[in-house]
Amino acid sequence: MTQTVNKSLNPLPLKERMKVPRQPMPEQPPLLRAANFGEVNLGYSEELARQEAARCLECAKPICVNDCPVGVKVKEFVQLIVAGDFMGAAAKIREDNVLPAITGRVCPQEDHCEGGCLMGKKVTPLGIGYLERFVADYEQQHMDPKDIKKAPPSGKKVAIVGSGPSGLTAAGDLVQKGHEVHVFEALHELGGVLVYGIPEFRLPKQIIREQIDYMRAMGVQFETNVVVGKTVTINELMEGEGYDAVFIGTGAGLPQFMGIPGEHFNGVYSANEFLTRINLMHAYEFPKYDEPMVDFRGKDVAVIGGGNTALDAIRSALRLGARKAYVLYRRSEAEMPARKEEVKHAKQEGIEFHMLTAPVEFLADDKGWLKAARCVRMELGEPDASGRRRPVTIAGSEFDLPLSVAVIAIGTSANPLIQSTTPGLATNKRNYIEADVMTQRTSRRGVFAGGDIVTGSATVILAMGAGRRAAKSIHEYLTTGSW
Ligand code: FAD
Ligand code: SF4
């Protein structure tokens, strides 16, 4: 049974807690891990988790909770770790977060919970992500699926389109209200970007499968290889198949290119295609699976971009044998949107960062294979619409960087299929679905949307937050009938 946390269970006096250093995450040594796809971070032991948890200052008004998009009760679950009640801590997290083993690994904690931690203002913030991951992994190893409770049936049926974090969160929250939930996924694997984008060394596929199995045990039903808008339309789901509500969480998976000469040459890829091949065609299990397109032994590879996708692509290329592995980013490191921990890990592994550098053209040999990127150096000017300083080309700074492979990771856009096959579904001029920010309602009665398909490419936890808000409004709609 979960303990209710009222008074402190922490034996360490408050003034002593600031003196305890943050417990480092055990990890594979850089040179070893740069040659394998095993997870970089190895996870806290019970002892390390309890030592780290004991640092929590137990603030009266914890900012970390407000700064978490799904409102995980950080203080309470951390206190339960201090008390050694790890299953209780897991249950506490699950009240707000249905995918804790995933968020504990990939949330940009510095922008959310840990960014708000009071301890971080003076020393280093509490390792909230590390603790969440520890608890989720502990739960997975110790739970009995028979203990997972199912809510009594409500008689209502909901379709979830897309099995990324927004769809999974909406499904998990709705099934706990007793609704019959069916998730339709276009690909043959469940998990969205979690499975086809984020590589094994950051988020093992087994972890995603376990979280999905947990949801199956809760009663969620999954169907793969169903392309909604083609196999079946939203109208057919609602009118023909009796779904009372639909949630669209189809993400923003369409790759964007730079529009520079030579992008069509052999050896230039979108990050989307590149990572999908590695992840879904098992290239990461080389030599068990031999995927020749991603054999980079002896090749020089560059990725263009500064986000998580860019780092995932280049660190994967390194693991697949690249001789040189570069990041070309047109701004400086301070503006890089990637998680700080990934930047640190990539540097340790030997990735070369060329900041304030951008290709303006790709050059090929006479057979059409990439041989170099013509690049320019940049400097930072005034802030642009994103609030970040605009990169400006330095005249006369052109140089050629010899390359065999270039991966474009400058962002993605919305896949238009559902928008074009669902009459009355309002979209904005970039073809993202319009949805209310609080309720995730669209312009179509009974249809809700959230995650990257509404906001454009964002983060796992923001997509989960949208899934959570949508589930709440879907439940209200199903129980009151009012729109
Ligand atoms: P998605 O995860 O994109 O899932 C959408 C799903 O819908 C997909 O499975 C897709 O196949 C399916 N689908 C699409 N169309 C249809 C259709 N017509 N019918 C049925 N199914 C359909 N965020 C972080 O917070 N931390 C990270 O470390 C991080 N790393 C990233 C690394 C990479 C390589 C990428 C690409 C993104 C990363 N992100 C990260 C961003 C994060 O993964 C996304 O913001 C998040 O996955 C969006 O979730 P979603 O549910 O909106 O969509
Ligand atoms: Fe932090 Fe993410 Fe967990 Fe929220 S879900 S507490 S933001 S790690």
Side-chain angles (χ1 to χ4, degrees), residues 106 108 161-166 184-187 192-193 197-198 202 226-228 249-251 275 308-309 312 339 418 451-452 458-460 463:
V106 304
V161 186
S163 64
S166 65
F184 298 101
E185 168 55 51
L187 296 175
V193 169
I198 303 181
R202 281 213 295 135
V226 180
V227 184
V228 175
T250 45
L275 284 166
N308 288 313
T309 309
D312 284 347
R339 292 178 80 229
I418 291 191
D452 285 4
T459 63
V460 168

PDB file of all heavy atoms in Angstrom, residues 106 108 161-166 184-187 192-193 197-198 202 226-228 249-251 275 308-309 312 339 418 451-452 458-460 463, ligand 1:
ATOM      1  N   VAL A 106      14.670  10.584 -20.721  1.00  0.00           N
ATOM      2  CA  VAL A 106      14.819  11.542 -21.833  1.00  0.00           C
ATOM      3  C   VAL A 106      14.238  12.936 -21.595  1.00  0.00           C
ATOM      4  O   VAL A 106      14.414  13.811 -22.441  1.00  0.00           O
ATOM      5  CB  VAL A 106      14.253  10.977 -23.172  1.00  0.00           C
ATOM      6  CG1 VAL A 106      14.900   9.665 -23.537  1.00  0.00           C
ATOM      7  CG2 VAL A 106      12.737  10.868 -23.157  1.00  0.00           C
ATOM      8  N   PRO A 108      14.037  16.716 -20.775  1.00  0.00           N
ATOM      9  CA  PRO A 108      15.058  17.753 -20.563  1.00  0.00           C
ATOM     10  C   PRO A 108      14.868  18.337 -19.158  1.00  0.00           C
ATOM     11  O   PRO A 108      14.302  19.412 -18.991  1.00  0.00           O
ATOM     12  CB  PRO A 108      14.762  18.769 -21.672  1.00  0.00           C
ATOM     13  CG  PRO A 108      13.335  18.549 -22.040  1.00  0.00           C
ATOM     14  CD  PRO A 108      12.914  17.180 -21.606  1.00  0.00           C
ATOM     15  N   VAL A 161      -5.088   7.892 -32.137  1.00  0.00           N
ATOM     16  CA  VAL A 161      -4.358   7.741 -33.391  1.00  0.00           C
ATOM     17  C   VAL A 161      -2.903   8.129 -33.156  1.00  0.00           C
ATOM     18  O   VAL A 161      -2.598   9.298 -32.889  1.00  0.00           O
ATOM     19  CB  VAL A 161      -4.970   8.606 -34.508  1.00  0.00           C
ATOM     20  CG1 VAL A 161      -4.285   8.301 -35.831  1.00  0.00           C
ATOM     21  CG2 VAL A 161      -6.467   8.372 -34.605  1.00  0.00           C
ATOM     22  N   GLY A 162      -2.010   7.139 -33.233  1.00  0.00           N
ATOM     23  CA  GLY A 162      -0.585   7.379 -32.989  1.00  0.00           C
ATOM     24  C   GLY A 162      -0.192   6.879 -31.611  1.00  0.00           C
ATOM     25  O   GLY A 162      -0.893   7.134 -30.625  1.00  0.00           O
ATOM     26  N   SER A 163       0.939   6.137 -31.556  1.00  0.00           N
ATOM     27  CA  SER A 163       1.346   5.544 -30.274  1.00  0.00           C
ATOM     28  C   SER A 163       2.583   6.208 -29.711  1.00  0.00           C
ATOM     29  O   SER A 163       3.381   5.581 -29.005  1.00  0.00           O
ATOM     30  CB  SER A 163       1.605   4.049 -30.462  1.00  0.00           C
ATOM     31  OG  SER A 163       2.705   3.867 -31.347  1.00  0.00           O
ATOM     32  N   GLY A 164       2.795   7.503 -30.037  1.00  0.00           N
ATOM     33  CA  GLY A 164       3.887   8.258 -29.410  1.00  0.00           C
ATOM     34  C   GLY A 164       3.500   8.633 -27.984  1.00  0.00           C
ATOM     35  O   GLY A 164       2.444   8.218 -27.486  1.00  0.00           O
ATOM     36  N   PRO A 165       4.338   9.423 -27.304  1.00  0.00           N
ATOM     37  CA  PRO A 165       4.057   9.747 -25.902  1.00  0.00           C
ATOM     38  C   PRO A 165       2.726  10.453 -25.664  1.00  0.00           C
ATOM     39  O   PRO A 165       2.095  10.222 -24.619  1.00  0.00           O
ATOM     40  CB  PRO A 165       5.235  10.639 -25.494  1.00  0.00           C
ATOM     41  CG  PRO A 165       6.034  10.886 -26.716  1.00  0.00           C
ATOM     42  CD  PRO A 165       5.653   9.900 -27.753  1.00  0.00           C
ATOM     43  N   SER A 166       2.244  11.268 -26.614  1.00  0.00           N
ATOM     44  CA  SER A 166       0.947  11.933 -26.382  1.00  0.00           C
ATOM     45  C   SER A 166      -0.168  10.893 -26.404  1.00  0.00           C
ATOM     46  O   SER A 166      -1.029  10.869 -25.515  1.00  0.00           O
ATOM     47  CB  SER A 166       0.689  13.026 -27.424  1.00  0.00           C
ATOM     48  OG  SER A 166       0.558  12.477 -28.717  1.00  0.00           O
ATOM     49  N   PHE A 184      -4.363   3.134 -32.543  1.00  0.00           N
ATOM     50  CA  PHE A 184      -4.039   2.763 -33.930  1.00  0.00           C
ATOM     51  C   PHE A 184      -2.701   3.367 -34.319  1.00  0.00           C
ATOM     52  O   PHE A 184      -2.523   4.591 -34.216  1.00  0.00           O
ATOM     53  CB  PHE A 184      -5.129   3.266 -34.880  1.00  0.00           C
ATOM     54  CG  PHE A 184      -6.468   2.661 -34.591  1.00  0.00           C
ATOM     55  CD1 PHE A 184      -7.427   3.376 -33.887  1.00  0.00           C
ATOM     56  CD2 PHE A 184      -6.753   1.362 -34.991  1.00  0.00           C
ATOM     57  CE1 PHE A 184      -8.662   2.814 -33.594  1.00  0.00           C
ATOM     58  CE2 PHE A 184      -7.984   0.799 -34.710  1.00  0.00           C
ATOM     59  CZ  PHE A 184      -8.947   1.516 -34.002  1.00  0.00           C
ATOM     60  N   GLU A 185      -1.779   2.533 -34.759  1.00  0.00           N
ATOM     61  CA  GLU A 185      -0.428   2.999 -35.102  1.00  0.00           C
ATOM     62  C   GLU A 185      -0.106   2.615 -36.548  1.00  0.00           C
ATOM     63  O   GLU A 185      -0.326   1.474 -36.956  1.00  0.00           O
ATOM     64  CB  GLU A 185       0.592   2.389 -34.125  1.00  0.00           C
ATOM     65  CG  GLU A 185       2.047   2.537 -34.511  1.00  0.00           C
ATOM     66  CD  GLU A 185       2.502   3.986 -34.768  1.00  0.00           C
ATOM     67  OE1 GLU A 185       2.257   4.858 -33.922  1.00  0.00           O
ATOM     68  OE2 GLU A 185       3.090   4.223 -35.849  1.00  0.00           O
ATOM     69  N   ALA A 186       0.424   3.589 -37.313  1.00  0.00           N
ATOM     70  CA  ALA A 186       0.736   3.354 -38.727  1.00  0.00           C
ATOM     71  C   ALA A 186       1.905   2.377 -38.906  1.00  0.00           C
ATOM     72  O   ALA A 186       1.904   1.565 -39.833  1.00  0.00           O
ATOM     73  CB  ALA A 186       1.085   4.678 -39.399  1.00  0.00           C
ATOM     74  N   LEU A 187       2.896   2.437 -38.020  1.00  0.00           N
ATOM     75  CA  LEU A 187       4.092   1.598 -38.184  1.00  0.00           C
ATOM     76  C   LEU A 187       3.872   0.204 -37.583  1.00  0.00           C
ATOM     77  O   LEU A 187       2.876  -0.030 -36.893  1.00  0.00           O
ATOM     78  CB  LEU A 187       5.291   2.270 -37.522  1.00  0.00           C
ATOM     79  CG  LEU A 187       5.724   3.618 -38.128  1.00  0.00           C
ATOM     80  CD1 LEU A 187       6.837   4.235 -37.301  1.00  0.00           C
ATOM     81  CD2 LEU A 187       6.177   3.431 -39.581  1.00  0.00           C
ATOM     82  N   GLY A 192       6.120   5.489 -31.337  1.00  0.00           N
ATOM     83  CA  GLY A 192       6.401   6.762 -32.015  1.00  0.00           C
ATOM     84  C   GLY A 192       7.897   7.046 -32.031  1.00  0.00           C
ATOM     85  O   GLY A 192       8.715   6.131 -32.155  1.00  0.00           O
ATOM     86  N   VAL A 193       8.243   8.318 -31.861  1.00  0.00           N
ATOM     87  CA  VAL A 193       9.656   8.712 -31.895  1.00  0.00           C
ATOM     88  C   VAL A 193      10.474   7.969 -30.842  1.00  0.00           C
ATOM     89  O   VAL A 193      11.659   7.714 -31.025  1.00  0.00           O
ATOM     90  CB  VAL A 193       9.777  10.246 -31.694  1.00  0.00           C
ATOM     91  CG1 VAL A 193      11.217  10.651 -31.461  1.00  0.00           C
ATOM     92  CG2 VAL A 193       9.224  10.984 -32.895  1.00  0.00           C
ATOM     93  N   GLY A 197      12.976   6.944 -33.351  1.00  0.00           N
ATOM     94  CA  GLY A 197      13.895   8.085 -33.386  1.00  0.00           C
ATOM     95  C   GLY A 197      15.011   7.962 -32.361  1.00  0.00           C
ATOM     96  O   GLY A 197      16.191   7.985 -32.707  1.00  0.00           O
ATOM     97  N   ILE A 198      14.649   7.819 -31.098  1.00  0.00           N
ATOM     98  CA  ILE A 198      15.666   7.845 -30.034  1.00  0.00           C
ATOM     99  C   ILE A 198      16.414   6.505 -30.012  1.00  0.00           C
ATOM    100  O   ILE A 198      15.792   5.452 -29.917  1.00  0.00           O
ATOM    101  CB  ILE A 198      15.003   8.149 -28.659  1.00  0.00           C
ATOM    102  CG1 ILE A 198      14.242   9.489 -28.757  1.00  0.00           C
ATOM    103  CG2 ILE A 198      16.051   8.187 -27.563  1.00  0.00           C
ATOM    104  CD1 ILE A 198      13.562   9.941 -27.486  1.00  0.00           C
ATOM    105  N   ARG A 202      20.296   5.482 -25.612  1.00  0.00           N
ATOM    106  CA  ARG A 202      19.652   6.439 -24.693  1.00  0.00           C
ATOM    107  C   ARG A 202      18.361   5.887 -24.122  1.00  0.00           C
ATOM    108  O   ARG A 202      17.986   6.200 -22.993  1.00  0.00           O
ATOM    109  CB  ARG A 202      19.327   7.739 -25.453  1.00  0.00           C
ATOM    110  CG  ARG A 202      20.497   8.625 -25.629  1.00  0.00           C
ATOM    111  CD  ARG A 202      20.124  10.072 -25.600  1.00  0.00           C
ATOM    112  NE  ARG A 202      19.274  10.505 -26.676  1.00  0.00           N
ATOM    113  CZ  ARG A 202      18.222  11.285 -26.495  1.00  0.00           C
ATOM    114  NH1 ARG A 202      17.876  11.677 -25.286  1.00  0.00           N
ATOM    115  NH2 ARG A 202      17.504  11.671 -27.518  1.00  0.00           N
ATOM    116  N   VAL A 226      -1.923   0.348 -39.052  1.00  0.00           N
ATOM    117  CA  VAL A 226      -3.191   1.000 -39.427  1.00  0.00           C
ATOM    118  C   VAL A 226      -2.889   2.480 -39.679  1.00  0.00           C
ATOM    119  O   VAL A 226      -2.550   3.216 -38.745  1.00  0.00           O
ATOM    120  CB  VAL A 226      -4.254   0.890 -38.299  1.00  0.00           C
ATOM    121  CG1 VAL A 226      -5.552   1.580 -38.733  1.00  0.00           C
ATOM    122  CG2 VAL A 226      -4.510  -0.555 -37.930  1.00  0.00           C
ATOM    123  N   VAL A 227      -2.957   2.884 -40.939  1.00  0.00           N
ATOM    124  CA  VAL A 227      -2.685   4.285 -41.281  1.00  0.00           C
ATOM    125  C   VAL A 227      -4.028   5.003 -41.312  1.00  0.00           C
ATOM    126  O   VAL A 227      -4.804   4.851 -42.258  1.00  0.00           O
ATOM    127  CB  VAL A 227      -1.980   4.398 -42.655  1.00  0.00           C
ATOM    128  CG1 VAL A 227      -1.616   5.861 -42.945  1.00  0.00           C
ATOM    129  CG2 VAL A 227      -0.748   3.517 -42.710  1.00  0.00           C
ATOM    130  N   VAL A 228      -4.309   5.745 -40.249  1.00  0.00           N
ATOM    131  CA  VAL A 228      -5.599   6.439 -40.197  1.00  0.00           C
ATOM    132  C   VAL A 228      -5.558   7.574 -41.230  1.00  0.00           C
ATOM    133  O   VAL A 228      -4.580   8.304 -41.333  1.00  0.00           O
ATOM    134  CB  VAL A 228      -5.898   6.947 -38.769  1.00  0.00           C
ATOM    135  CG1 VAL A 228      -7.175   7.780 -38.751  1.00  0.00           C
ATOM    136  CG2 VAL A 228      -6.001   5.766 -37.819  1.00  0.00           C
ATOM    137  N   GLY A 249      -2.752  12.022 -32.157  1.00  0.00           N
ATOM    138  CA  GLY A 249      -1.393  12.308 -31.643  1.00  0.00           C
ATOM    139  C   GLY A 249      -0.374  11.786 -32.641  1.00  0.00           C
ATOM    140  O   GLY A 249       0.432  10.919 -32.320  1.00  0.00           O
ATOM    141  N   THR A 250      -0.457  12.313 -33.876  1.00  0.00           N
ATOM    142  CA  THR A 250       0.315  11.723 -34.980  1.00  0.00           C
ATOM    143  C   THR A 250       1.702  12.338 -35.158  1.00  0.00           C
ATOM    144  O   THR A 250       2.419  11.973 -36.100  1.00  0.00           O
ATOM    145  CB  THR A 250      -0.472  11.844 -36.301  1.00  0.00           C
ATOM    146  OG1 THR A 250      -1.009  13.164 -36.387  1.00  0.00           O
ATOM    147  CG2 THR A 250      -1.614  10.849 -36.347  1.00  0.00           C
ATOM    148  N   GLY A 251       2.094  13.268 -34.308  1.00  0.00           N
ATOM    149  CA  GLY A 251       3.462  13.781 -34.343  1.00  0.00           C
ATOM    150  C   GLY A 251       3.757  14.637 -35.560  1.00  0.00           C
ATOM    151  O   GLY A 251       2.869  14.981 -36.352  1.00  0.00           O
ATOM    152  N   LEU A 275      17.747   7.652 -38.845  1.00  0.00           N
ATOM    153  CA  LEU A 275      17.504   7.025 -37.535  1.00  0.00           C
ATOM    154  C   LEU A 275      16.480   5.893 -37.632  1.00  0.00           C
ATOM    155  O   LEU A 275      16.570   4.902 -36.922  1.00  0.00           O
ATOM    156  CB  LEU A 275      17.052   8.089 -36.529  1.00  0.00           C
ATOM    157  CG  LEU A 275      18.186   8.977 -36.024  1.00  0.00           C
ATOM    158  CD1 LEU A 275      17.641  10.209 -35.312  1.00  0.00           C
ATOM    159  CD2 LEU A 275      19.127   8.211 -35.107  1.00  0.00           C
ATOM    160  N   ASN A 308      18.376  17.255 -30.146  1.00  0.00           N
ATOM    161  CA  ASN A 308      18.551  15.851 -29.741  1.00  0.00           C
ATOM    162  C   ASN A 308      18.658  14.938 -30.952  1.00  0.00           C
ATOM    163  O   ASN A 308      19.410  13.965 -30.953  1.00  0.00           O
ATOM    164  CB  ASN A 308      17.363  15.415 -28.883  1.00  0.00           C
ATOM    165  CG  ASN A 308      17.404  16.060 -27.516  1.00  0.00           C
ATOM    166  OD1 ASN A 308      18.442  16.070 -26.865  1.00  0.00           O
ATOM    167  ND2 ASN A 308      16.282  16.612 -27.076  1.00  0.00           N
ATOM    168  N   THR A 309      17.881  15.245 -32.003  1.00  0.00           N
ATOM    169  CA  THR A 309      17.895  14.405 -33.197  1.00  0.00           C
ATOM    170  C   THR A 309      19.293  14.402 -33.813  1.00  0.00           C
ATOM    171  O   THR A 309      19.814  13.350 -34.204  1.00  0.00           O
ATOM    172  CB  THR A 309      16.877  14.942 -34.220  1.00  0.00           C
ATOM    173  OG1 THR A 309      15.628  15.111 -33.552  1.00  0.00           O
ATOM    174  CG2 THR A 309      16.724  14.014 -35.388  1.00  0.00           C
ATOM    175  N   ASP A 312      21.632  12.355 -31.661  1.00  0.00           N
ATOM    176  CA  ASP A 312      21.322  10.917 -31.772  1.00  0.00           C
ATOM    177  C   ASP A 312      21.866  10.357 -33.077  1.00  0.00           C
ATOM    178  O   ASP A 312      22.405   9.244 -33.115  1.00  0.00           O
ATOM    179  CB  ASP A 312      19.804  10.692 -31.714  1.00  0.00           C
ATOM    180  CG  ASP A 312      19.264  10.825 -30.296  1.00  0.00           C
ATOM    181  OD1 ASP A 312      20.072  10.835 -29.353  1.00  0.00           O
ATOM    182  OD2 ASP A 312      18.027  10.918 -30.139  1.00  0.00           O
ATOM    183  N   ARG A 339      19.506  18.169 -25.079  1.00  0.00           N
ATOM    184  CA  ARG A 339      19.682  18.010 -23.620  1.00  0.00           C
ATOM    185  C   ARG A 339      21.167  18.188 -23.282  1.00  0.00           C
ATOM    186  O   ARG A 339      22.040  17.676 -23.983  1.00  0.00           O
ATOM    187  CB  ARG A 339      19.269  16.603 -23.159  1.00  0.00           C
ATOM    188  CG  ARG A 339      17.804  16.299 -23.264  1.00  0.00           C
ATOM    189  CD  ARG A 339      17.552  14.850 -22.813  1.00  0.00           C
ATOM    190  NE  ARG A 339      17.523  14.710 -21.376  1.00  0.00           N
ATOM    191  CZ  ARG A 339      18.197  13.803 -20.692  1.00  0.00           C
ATOM    192  NH1 ARG A 339      18.997  12.943 -21.294  1.00  0.00           N
ATOM    193  NH2 ARG A 339      18.095  13.734 -19.372  1.00  0.00           N
ATOM    194  N   ILE A 418      -4.093  13.048 -42.168  1.00  0.00           N
ATOM    195  CA  ILE A 418      -5.371  13.089 -41.431  1.00  0.00           C
ATOM    196  C   ILE A 418      -6.086  14.419 -41.678  1.00  0.00           C
ATOM    197  O   ILE A 418      -7.306  14.456 -41.865  1.00  0.00           O
ATOM    198  CB  ILE A 418      -5.130  12.854 -39.932  1.00  0.00           C
ATOM    199  CG1 ILE A 418      -4.702  11.400 -39.773  1.00  0.00           C
ATOM    200  CG2 ILE A 418      -6.359  13.191 -39.097  1.00  0.00           C
ATOM    201  CD1 ILE A 418      -4.668  10.891 -38.389  1.00  0.00           C
ATOM    202  N   GLY A 451       0.245  17.066 -28.730  1.00  0.00           N
ATOM    203  CA  GLY A 451       1.623  16.651 -29.030  1.00  0.00           C
ATOM    204  C   GLY A 451       2.147  17.413 -30.229  1.00  0.00           C
ATOM    205  O   GLY A 451       1.634  18.490 -30.585  1.00  0.00           O
ATOM    206  N   ASP A 452       3.162  16.855 -30.874  1.00  0.00           N
ATOM    207  CA  ASP A 452       3.864  17.565 -31.960  1.00  0.00           C
ATOM    208  C   ASP A 452       2.944  17.946 -33.114  1.00  0.00           C
ATOM    209  O   ASP A 452       3.222  18.907 -33.828  1.00  0.00           O
ATOM    210  CB  ASP A 452       5.003  16.694 -32.505  1.00  0.00           C
ATOM    211  CG  ASP A 452       6.215  16.649 -31.577  1.00  0.00           C
ATOM    212  OD1 ASP A 452       6.144  17.226 -30.474  1.00  0.00           O
ATOM    213  OD2 ASP A 452       7.223  16.016 -31.959  1.00  0.00           O
ATOM    214  N   ALA A 458       8.482  19.186 -30.380  1.00  0.00           N
ATOM    215  CA  ALA A 458       8.724  19.696 -29.020  1.00  0.00           C
ATOM    216  C   ALA A 458       9.422  18.614 -28.211  1.00  0.00           C
ATOM    217  O   ALA A 458      10.482  18.131 -28.626  1.00  0.00           O
ATOM    218  CB  ALA A 458       7.408  20.136 -28.406  1.00  0.00           C
ATOM    219  N   THR A 459       8.848  18.229 -27.085  1.00  0.00           N
ATOM    220  CA  THR A 459       9.520  17.226 -26.249  1.00  0.00           C
ATOM    221  C   THR A 459       8.523  16.152 -25.813  1.00  0.00           C
ATOM    222  O   THR A 459       7.300  16.322 -25.899  1.00  0.00           O
ATOM    223  CB  THR A 459      10.114  17.852 -24.970  1.00  0.00           C
ATOM    224  OG1 THR A 459       9.039  18.381 -24.198  1.00  0.00           O
ATOM    225  CG2 THR A 459      11.115  18.937 -25.270  1.00  0.00           C
ATOM    226  N   VAL A 460       9.090  15.053 -25.305  1.00  0.00           N
ATOM    227  CA  VAL A 460       8.288  13.925 -24.847  1.00  0.00           C
ATOM    228  C   VAL A 460       7.312  14.381 -23.757  1.00  0.00           C
ATOM    229  O   VAL A 460       6.111  14.099 -23.814  1.00  0.00           O
ATOM    230  CB  VAL A 460       9.222  12.811 -24.313  1.00  0.00           C
ATOM    231  CG1 VAL A 460       8.446  11.743 -23.573  1.00  0.00           C
ATOM    232  CG2 VAL A 460      10.045  12.216 -25.454  1.00  0.00           C
ATOM    233  N   ALA A 463       4.483  16.557 -24.974  1.00  0.00           N
ATOM    234  CA  ALA A 463       3.488  15.734 -25.667  1.00  0.00           C
ATOM    235  C   ALA A 463       2.649  14.970 -24.637  1.00  0.00           C
ATOM    236  O   ALA A 463       1.423  14.853 -24.764  1.00  0.00           O
ATOM    237  CB  ALA A 463       4.187  14.770 -26.620  1.00  0.00           C
TER     238      ALA A 463
HETATM  239  P1  FAD B   1       5.355  10.977 -32.045  1.00  0.00           P
HETATM  240  O1  FAD B   1       6.293  10.503 -31.017  1.00  0.00           O
HETATM  241  O2  FAD B   1       5.918  11.507 -33.312  1.00  0.00           O
HETATM  242  O3  FAD B   1       4.363   9.773 -32.382  1.00  0.00           O
HETATM  243  C1  FAD B   1       3.408   9.871 -33.394  1.00  0.00           C
HETATM  244  C2  FAD B   1       3.008   8.491 -33.823  1.00  0.00           C
HETATM  245  O4  FAD B   1       1.880   8.583 -34.683  1.00  0.00           O
HETATM  246  C3  FAD B   1       4.081   7.764 -34.626  1.00  0.00           C
HETATM  247  O5  FAD B   1       4.266   6.473 -34.103  1.00  0.00           O
HETATM  248  C4  FAD B   1       3.523   7.719 -36.038  1.00  0.00           C
HETATM  249  O6  FAD B   1       3.942   6.565 -36.750  1.00  0.00           O
HETATM  250  C5  FAD B   1       2.030   7.683 -35.760  1.00  0.00           C
HETATM  251  N1  FAD B   1       1.236   8.156 -36.879  1.00  0.00           N
HETATM  252  C6  FAD B   1       1.482   9.232 -37.680  1.00  0.00           C
HETATM  253  N2  FAD B   1       0.495   9.345 -38.597  1.00  0.00           N
HETATM  254  C7  FAD B   1      -0.372   8.324 -38.372  1.00  0.00           C
HETATM  255  C8  FAD B   1      -1.570   7.916 -38.995  1.00  0.00           C
HETATM  256  N3  FAD B   1      -2.062   8.585 -40.023  1.00  0.00           N
HETATM  257  N4  FAD B   1      -2.208   6.824 -38.511  1.00  0.00           N
HETATM  258  C9  FAD B   1      -1.712   6.127 -37.449  1.00  0.00           C
HETATM  259  N5  FAD B   1      -0.573   6.494 -36.818  1.00  0.00           N
HETATM  260  C10 FAD B   1       0.081   7.573 -37.277  1.00  0.00           C
HETATM  261  N6  FAD B   1      12.154  14.815 -26.650  1.00  0.00           N
HETATM  262  C11 FAD B   1      12.592  14.796 -25.372  1.00  0.00           C
HETATM  263  O7  FAD B   1      11.866  15.226 -24.489  1.00  0.00           O
HETATM  264  N7  FAD B   1      13.807  14.298 -25.042  1.00  0.00           N
HETATM  265  C12 FAD B   1      14.624  13.758 -25.948  1.00  0.00           C
HETATM  266  O8  FAD B   1      15.712  13.315 -25.607  1.00  0.00           O
HETATM  267  C13 FAD B   1      14.193  13.722 -27.311  1.00  0.00           C
HETATM  268  N8  FAD B   1      14.962  13.163 -28.267  1.00  0.00           N
HETATM  269  C14 FAD B   1      14.499  13.089 -29.550  1.00  0.00           C
HETATM  270  C15 FAD B   1      15.263  12.430 -30.498  1.00  0.00           C
HETATM  271  C16 FAD B   1      14.805  12.318 -31.792  1.00  0.00           C
HETATM  272  C17 FAD B   1      15.642  11.579 -32.788  1.00  0.00           C
HETATM  273  C18 FAD B   1      13.562  12.914 -32.175  1.00  0.00           C
HETATM  274  C19 FAD B   1      13.069  12.809 -33.589  1.00  0.00           C
HETATM  275  C20 FAD B   1      12.805  13.580 -31.233  1.00  0.00           C
HETATM  276  C21 FAD B   1      13.253  13.658 -29.918  1.00  0.00           C
HETATM  277  N9  FAD B   1      12.491  14.285 -28.934  1.00  0.00           N
HETATM  278  C22 FAD B   1      12.927  14.286 -27.636  1.00  0.00           C
HETATM  279  C23 FAD B   1      11.178  14.875 -29.249  1.00  0.00           C
HETATM  280  C24 FAD B   1      10.051  13.913 -28.867  1.00  0.00           C
HETATM  281  O9  FAD B   1      10.400  12.593 -29.167  1.00  0.00           O
HETATM  282  C25 FAD B   1       8.744  14.313 -29.546  1.00  0.00           C
HETATM  283  O10 FAD B   1       8.451  15.645 -29.204  1.00  0.00           O
HETATM  284  C26 FAD B   1       7.601  13.402 -29.082  1.00  0.00           C
HETATM  285  O11 FAD B   1       7.871  12.052 -29.402  1.00  0.00           O
HETATM  286  C27 FAD B   1       6.274  13.828 -29.710  1.00  0.00           C
HETATM  287  O12 FAD B   1       5.298  12.917 -29.310  1.00  0.00           O
HETATM  288  P2  FAD B   1       3.943  12.733 -30.132  1.00  0.00           P
HETATM  289  O13 FAD B   1       3.127  11.766 -29.365  1.00  0.00           O
HETATM  290  O14 FAD B   1       3.363  14.049 -30.446  1.00  0.00           O
HETATM  291  O15 FAD B   1       4.375  12.113 -31.542  1.00  0.00           O
END
